[in-house]
């Protein structure tokens, strides 16, 4: 099978209920300054991608109760979780970014993985995309879920470390996990030449700078 050549920046769940306001701050255990930096850097990554002609794809989450399966409802009941990013609310709106005309927007209805949203994978195939560059929230939940499926389906994975943060796990731990298990490349939004190898090369990528010889 001929390797797919294209690269897409995948912006995951950059929505108000995850990024700002009382819902976001009550759920995120880190500093609000971290969320602010991550969302600002993600918006910058979108600008960088557009300036270089890299496709930008937006993934959004809708958490309405009617979309929840039995296990999701039970978990929310047991843990006292309330629905987030309900359709038509301010919480579901994009934060600091706005899709431009013609850019893909894909909706996850109460699921983590963008590959479960209608049309996402079909779009990647149609556009000959083989490299997925991830920004958005959260590294250990929806970014990881989508990256995991993408890797298993043959996509190369890059994570922009300054454009994401974790909800439950230390950032370094989940990034190391993704590097080791998915072969994920890690870099930052301001070095776009390192987002993916050029020319469709299939050679192994170098280890991320944060890895040590004993890692």
């Amino acid at each position: 099978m001929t390797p797919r050549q294209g690269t897409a920046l995948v912006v995951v769940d950059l929505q108000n209920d995850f990024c700002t306001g009382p819902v976001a701050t009550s759920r995120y255990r880190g500093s609000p300054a971290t969320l602010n930096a991550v969302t600002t850097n993600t918006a910058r990554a979108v600008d960088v991608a557009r300036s270089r002609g890299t496709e930008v794809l937006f993934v959004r989450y809708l958490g309405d109760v009617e979309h929840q399966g039995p296990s999701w409802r039970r978990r929310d009941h047991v843990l006292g979780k309330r629905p987030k990013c309900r359709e038509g609310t301010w919480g579901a709106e994009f934060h600091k970014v706005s899709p431009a005309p013609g850019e893909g927007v894909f909706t996850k209805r109460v699921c983590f993985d963008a590959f479960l949203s209608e049309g996402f994978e079909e779009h990647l195939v149609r556009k000959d995309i083989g490299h997925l560059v991830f920004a958005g929230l959260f590294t250990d939940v929806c970014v990881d879920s989508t990256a995991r499926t993408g890797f298993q389906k043959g996509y190369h994975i890059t994570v922009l470390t300054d454009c994401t943060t974790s909800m439950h796990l230390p950032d370094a731990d989940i990034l190391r996990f993704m590097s080791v298990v998915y072969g994920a490349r890690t870099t930052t939004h301001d070095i776009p030449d390192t987002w993916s190898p050029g020319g469709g090369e299939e050679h192994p990528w170098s280890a991320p700078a944060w890895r040590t010889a004993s890692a």
Side-chain angles (χ1 to χ4, degrees), residues 12 15 19 34 36 46 64 76 88 102 113-114 116 118 125 128 133-134 140-141 145 152 158 162 170-171 173 192 213:
V12 180
Q15 297 165 265
C19 300
T34 299
N36 183 60
V46 170
D64 301 76
D76 281 6
D113 187 346
L116 296 177
E118 183 177 355
V125 172
D128 193 41
V133 181
F134 287 97
D140 56 344
V141 187
S145 294
Q152 293 176 98
T158 294
D162 61 341
D171 290 337
D173 289 354

Side-chain angles (χ1 to χ4, degrees), residues 128-182:
D128 193 41
I129 292 168
H131 296 87
L132 304 179
V133 181
F134 287 97
L137 303 171
F138 284 96
T139 323
D140 56 344
V141 187
C142 295
V143 171
D144 177 71
S145 294
T146 306
R148 181 176 301 204
T149 299
F151 169 71
Q152 293 176 98
K153 288 178 174 288
Y155 294 88
H156 295 293
I157 305 299
T158 294
V159 182
L160 301 183
T161 60
D162 61 341
C163 296
T164 189
T165 186
S166 292
M167 173 71 77
H168 304 287
L169 302 174
D171 290 337
D173 289 354
I174 186 62
L175 290 169
R176 183 178 294 108
F177 174 86
M178 295 170 80
S179 175
V180 172
V181 179
Y182 315 147

Side-chain angles (χ1 to χ4, degrees), residues 46-104:
V46 170
D47 290 339
V48 170
R50 288 170 175 164
S51 71
R52 295 171 63 89
T54 299
E55 181 152 10
V56 182
L57 305 178
F58 293 87
V59 177
R60 63 175 185 158
Y61 170 89
L62 293 181
D64 301 76
V65 173
E66 56 264 35
H67 302 314
Q68 296 178 2
S71 58
W72 200 289
R73 292 180 185 177
R74 180 184 180 280
R75 184 208 64 175
D76 281 6
H77 174 73
V78 170
L79 298 180
K81 291 177 174 284
R82 298 179 63 83
K84 299 166 290 294
C85 300
R86 290 177 292 113
E87 190 165 9
T89 67
W90 173 85
E93 295 175 4
F94 287 113
H95 179 70
K96 295 186 182 178
V97 294
S98 181
E103 291 179 337

